[in-house]
Amino acid sequence: MPIPPSLASTLLHQIDQDQALIPGLPNDVAALILSFLPYSHHCRLKPTCKPWYIFLSSKTLHSLRRHHRRRSLSHLLCVFPEDPHISSPFLFDPQHLAWRPLPPLPCNPHEYGLCNFTSVSLGPHIYVLGGSLFDTRSFPLDRPSPSSSAFRYNFLTSSWDRLAPMLSPRGSFACAAIPSADQIIVAGGGSRHTLFRAAGSRICSVERYDVERDEWEALDGLPRFRAGCVGFAVREGGEEGEFWVMGGYGDSRTVSGVFPVDEYYKDALVMELKGNGGGKWRELGDMWGAGETPRFGKIVMVEDEDGGSPPAIFMLDDNDILRYDMASNRWQKECSVPRRAPCKSSYGLVVLNEELHVMTIVNGIDSTETRRSRQQKRAGTLFMQIYHPRKKTWRCLVTKPPFRQPLDFSTTVMCPIQL
Amino acid sequence: MGSTSTKIKLRTSDQKVFEVEKAVAVQSQTIKYIYENGCPDSVIHVHSVSGDILSKILDYCKKHVNSAAGKEDISPEELYEWDANFVKVDQNTLFDLILAANCLKIESLLDLTCQTVANMIKGKRPEEIRTTFNIKNDYTIEAEEAVRRENKWAFDMLGGVGTMVIEELADDTMSKCVTNAKSRVCVIAANQIVMMRSISKLANKKSIDVYKQPQNPTTPRIKESVKQINVGTGFIELFFHFKCKM
């Protein structure tokens, strides 16, 4: 909720340049002290005095935290439980177990039911790109169409900005942020909606977004169309060198002449990023051998913050964690999730602070399942099992999310961000 | 070995002279710069630092240089504890240490002292911060209320909502903790509860059962003490920071 304009203007007029943040210390040292505070604590300290309010809401604090004290950045998770136009996304701080709602996306009266969008964080901003939605202006009404819109959340003004739309509309695509060049790359995608488990188009186009110029540029397309794929940018020596795309589905065939079934891709593709312009795609071949059973699950990448070693890529498939070996293009089993989820629910997988977070909802009751009208909707508890790839240990965290419905991890979009 | 250590003389604002080894003194970037660019033999003046503070700072530098060079047999955890004890001083001394570390440009000491002050700020409410740091409250009551309400973070409290941080648990103990957490406030801590302030409108709970895990993991948990929390005016904040090994 942005501050009322009357309060903001009175505050700015009354601030005296010589007012000390902490009496007894010069302002630059006091600023350094305040920059050590975790992000979730900033808001509760703003009522201390007006200079603190101004400083804690300012851009200087954010840039001080990013550039000087990288290790004290708070690792937060942005959770989009449903269509972000209607229900607010939430920011979650796992270290202090704190939740904060963000304002919903600006509502478009013609579009509803947005899902399968991608959320990525680049610097101190969250981007929401694409997705699949229903457009009331389209005919026929019950066919979902892909969306090309792009939004960015600005934490300083607490508002969503609409950015230049993508060249081709898409949902369920591979997306990666390139922090060193301030760009976002998207690849593939389609129009599949979560209401329909099949159907939907697939495309093969690849685009790159430049944050400073606010424009999308088409790059070399994928060899074959694919949707539902995962993408990540691999760093070498401080700079992003390659963009990888894994998995996804392409053609579909029908079983018994009736049921459409997707043909899942078993391979990975790599695009070189260095040396201006989009590079060519290099096919790595199938990740599963001829006799092996391919496994399809959520794939995430854990980066090595200090550089040096290549990133570790993990897949979570049905209680097993698999690690990808770049040299041999194969997956090996790393370990199993210690506590299994109840059979109906699926896992949420996200990487925060170089650790794998496997999330399930325990004891959640979906209100549509019960007939008793007085049954209170219970969002259940969010049970997170956290794996540290280097130490190879598990730990767990339990928290009560502030949602009214239990989270459905097959459709919830989550995005880690560092503030 | 001993003949290679050069000594540097430092004179403080109150005219005290300290003679220290070069390796210890050049932990300070300012002294290092002056030494390398100016007067290697004569005394270096550190005007803004008093004798007591400089002697504490030199203790710190010496400890860190010795542990890094391996002269003292000290593990990282012990060094961390030594640092924690080093900053257990009164606020004025702490501020003097910060100012001196800033002036002498000793980055690790500056980080340590600033983090200490940040930890002092982290657990407190605005009123307490104002008294501790002598900050004037320049808000009107309405303005303060408006600021308090905006952008609120909801901190997940232990009381009644079952939040715990558990490390390296076996599967059966994990399930016990999860079920117990919902029904009652059940805190399992191997370390002390570091900070405790209260926000518990939801729980109406005035007491917490604290279980302390004994060293031997096979003996069952013992209930150590029951702490009373006084429900003060309005909200009380509850922060728990603890690790637990089972």
Side-chain angles (χ1 to χ4, degrees):
Chain A
M1 202 169 39
I3 51 173
S6 52
L7 182 64
S9 54
T10 44
L11 281 175
L12 287 169
H13 284 144
Q14 287 168 20
I15 182 69
D16 181 5
Q17 288 292 55
D18 299 323
Q19 261 177 317
L21 283 173
I22 299 180
L25 291 175
N27 269 355
D28 55 346
V29 177
L32 190 63
I33 291 175
L34 291 180
S35 74
F36 274 99
L37 295 167
Y39 183 78
S40 44
H41 286 250
H42 291 172
C43 291
R44 47 176 56 211
L45 295 172
K46 282 183 187 174
T48 308
C49 65
K50 288 179 190 169
W52 280 45
Y53 182 92
I54 308 260
F55 179 68
L56 290 171
S57 326
S58 69
K59 225 170 147 182
T60 35
L61 173 64
H62 287 270
S63 51
L64 192 64
R65 278 168 72 82
R66 298 199 89 78
H67 297 123
H68 297 259
R69 304 280 155 211
R70 279 210 75 92
R71 59 200 118 99
S72 70
L73 280 176
S74 299
H75 296 261
L76 308 173
L77 184 67
C78 186
V79 182
F80 296 86
E82 294 163 343
D83 181 358
H85 294 287
I86 327 175
S87 62
S88 321
F90 274 81
L91 263 188
F92 174 52
D93 181 352
Q95 218 187 354
H96 302 97
L97 295 174
W99 293 85
R100 185 195 131 186
L102 295 177
L105 282 172
C107 198
N108 183 339
H110 299 289
E111 296 169 347
Y112 62 98
L114 180 70
C115 66
N116 285 340
F117 53 92
T118 304
S119 174
V120 68
S121 77
L122 181 59
H125 301 291
I126 296 179
Y127 292 80
V128 169
L129 306 170
S132 169
L133 44 72
F134 292 103
D135 193 330
T136 56
R137 295 166 296 188
S138 68
F139 186 80
L141 273 179
D142 57 350
R143 296 269 168 83
S145 45
S147 151
S148 59
S149 41
F151 292 93
R152 171 174 60 210
Y153 186 70
N154 187 338
F155 281 93
L156 289 170
T157 59
S158 300
S159 62
W160 290 93
D161 307 320
R162 189 183 270 268
L163 305 172
M166 293 192 276
L167 299 172
S168 344
R170 59 189 81 215
S172 323
F173 49 91
C175 173
I178 320 272
S180 57
D182 227 13
Q183 292 168 340
I184 300 177
I185 296 195
V186 297
S191 68
R192 180 171 293 185
H193 199 276
T194 49
L195 285 182
F196 306 108
R197 293 292 161 185
S201 58
R202 297 105 162 119
I203 58 177
C204 57
S205 80
V206 176
E207 294 173 40
R208 177 169 57 198
Y209 177 71
D210 190 304
V211 173
E212 216 178 293
R213 292 184 309 195
D214 190 26
E215 56 184 38
W216 292 89
E217 179 198 334
L219 299 179
D220 228 21
L222 294 168
R224 288 173 299 279
F225 49 81
R226 64 175 74 201
C229 36
V230 174
F232 32 81
V234 169
R235 264 206 289 208
E236 321 164 18
E239 224 184 55
E240 278 71 20
E242 298 172 333
F243 175 56
W244 285 57
V245 173
M246 274 190 186
Y249 52 86
D251 289 320
S252 78
R253 54 189 169 89
T254 47
V255 168
S256 315
V258 176
F259 302 109
V261 166
D262 295 317
E263 292 276 1
Y264 280 90
Y265 285 116
K266 298 188 283 190
D267 63 345
L269 300 167
V270 180
M271 184 215 273
E272 297 290 327
L273 291 174
K274 285 197 192 140
N276 275 328
K280 296 284 168 201
W281 285 98
R282 190 174 86 228
E283 296 196 40
L284 283 186
D286 282 353
M287 298 185 287
W288 309 99
E292 294 171 1
T293 335
R295 306 186 73 167
F296 305 105
K298 295 196 165 123
I299 301 179
V300 288
M301 176 182 75
V302 179
E303 245 178 34
D304 185 14
E305 280 294 319
D306 304 320
S309 37
I313 302 171
F314 294 96
M315 180 198 293
L316 172 68
D317 178 41
D318 209 36
N319 297 325
D320 288 331
I321 303 247
L322 304 152
R323 187 194 279 256
Y324 178 71
D325 179 31
M326 279 190 178
S328 65
N329 195 23
R330 288 286 183 268
W331 292 86
Q332 276 119 23
K333 179 163 170 188
E334 170 101 351
C335 56
S336 288
V337 173
R339 183 175 150 120
R340 276 120 224 261
C343 38
K344 266 206 297 185
S345 58
S346 56
Y347 288 115
L349 181 67
V350 80
V351 173
L352 268 179
N353 199 11
E354 295 182 37
E355 290 176 310
L356 251 75
H357 289 63
V358 178
M359 305 192 199
T360 45
I361 294 283
V362 175
N363 295 329
I365 295 182
D366 193 6
S367 62
T368 53
E369 286 173 15
T370 65
R371 285 193 227 154
R372 290 176 358 211
S373 54
R374 290 220 192 140
Q375 175 77 31
Q376 227 184 4
K377 293 184 211 181
R378 279 197 357 220
T381 16
L382 180 65
F383 182 58
M384 297 199 284
Q385 298 171 79
I386 303 163
Y387 180 68
H388 194 289
R390 250 176 287 149
K391 291 194 247 172
K392 300 198 194 293
T393 55
W394 286 90
R395 65 184 175 98
C396 85
L397 204 64
V398 176
T399 180
K400 191 156 166 45
F403 307 116
R404 272 177 264 129
Q405 298 274 50
L407 281 175
D408 179 9
F409 286 112
S410 50
T411 56
T412 305
V413 176
M414 295 191 282
C415 168
I417 179 166
Q418 298 178 28
L419 285 174
Chain B
M1 275 276 268
S3 56
T4 54
S5 65
T6 31
K7 301 258 186 198
I8 300 183
K9 290 206 187 89
L10 303 168
R11 176 176 287 150
T12 66
S13 58
D14 46 354
Q15 306 308 318
K16 291 199 191 135
V17 178
F18 290 83
E19 196 171 328
V20 283
E21 283 184 17
K22 176 179 164 233
V24 173
V26 297
Q27 294 270 295
S28 150
Q29 300 296 313
T30 317
I31 295 179
K32 183 175 177 197
Y33 182 79
I34 297 177
Y35 181 77
E36 284 171 357
N37 289 310
C39 38
D41 287 324
S42 57
V43 181
I44 297 180
H45 294 267
V46 276
H47 302 284
S48 43
V49 186
S50 73
D52 306 327
I53 300 293
L54 187 64
S55 77
K56 281 187 84 72
I57 290 181
L58 292 174
D59 277 343
Y60 175 88
C61 292
K62 197 189 250 179
K63 189 83 177 178
H64 277 248
V65 164
N66 286 345
S67 85
K71 281 187 207 164
E72 252 184 65
D73 183 23
I74 181 168
S75 68
E77 290 87 23
E78 286 171 7
L79 188 63
Y80 182 76
E81 264 200 58
W82 189 90
D83 282 347
N85 285 327
F86 180 78
V87 286
K88 279 187 187 152
V89 291
D90 64 292
Q91 196 172 309
N92 284 328
T93 318
L94 189 61
F95 275 30
D96 286 336
L97 280 172
I98 293 180
L99 290 169
N102 189 32
C103 160
L104 294 174
K105 292 202 180 44
I106 306 173
E107 197 177 312
S108 58
L109 180 62
L110 187 61
D111 275 356
L112 173 68
T113 42
C114 287
Q115 180 73 62
T116 315
V117 180
N119 290 341
M120 280 163 65
I121 297 177
K122 199 156 88 155
K124 293 189 164 64
R125 270 179 300 169
E127 299 83 34
E128 292 161 359
I129 296 178
R130 287 183 209 130
T131 18
T132 314
F133 295 103
N134 203 15
I135 296 175
K136 182 160 132 8
N137 180 10
D138 45 1
Y139 277 115
T140 61
I141 298 184
E142 304 85 34
E144 188 175 334
E145 263 312 300
V147 175
R148 262 184 216 272
R149 272 198 305 266
E150 73 176 39
N151 288 340
K152 266 187 90 143
W153 280 81
F155 282 82
D156 193 3
M157 267 67 64
L158 207 57
V161 288
T163 310
M164 287 184 286
V165 177
I166 309 167
E167 301 208 3
E168 293 174 14
L169 272 195
D171 191 38
D172 52 350
T173 37
M174 259 203 307
S175 55
K176 266 190 254 167
C177 293
V178 172
T179 42
N180 282 341
K182 271 180 9 237
S183 52
R184 70 175 79 175
V185 182
C186 176
V187 175
I188 307 172
N191 293 345
Q192 305 290 323
I193 296 174
V194 170
M195 282 194 288
M196 203 156 95
R197 286 169 129 263
S198 32
I199 284 185
S200 175
K201 176 185 169 194
L202 44 111
N204 270 350
K205 295 214 190 292
K206 298 201 173 112
S207 66
I208 310 182
D209 298 332
V210 177
Y211 291 81
K212 194 153 188 184
Q213 175 63 28
Q215 285 299 96
N216 185 352
T218 53
T219 55
R221 302 193 303 268
I222 26 173
K223 185 164 155 180
E224 194 198 45
S225 63
V226 175
K227 294 199 192 310
Q228 289 291 121
I229 301 181
N230 291 322
V231 179
T233 52
F235 295 110
I236 346 176
E237 283 168 29
L238 209 78
F239 281 107
F240 278 93
H241 179 71
F242 54 95
K243 276 190 203 168
C244 157
K245 283 196 180 335
M246 298 237 159

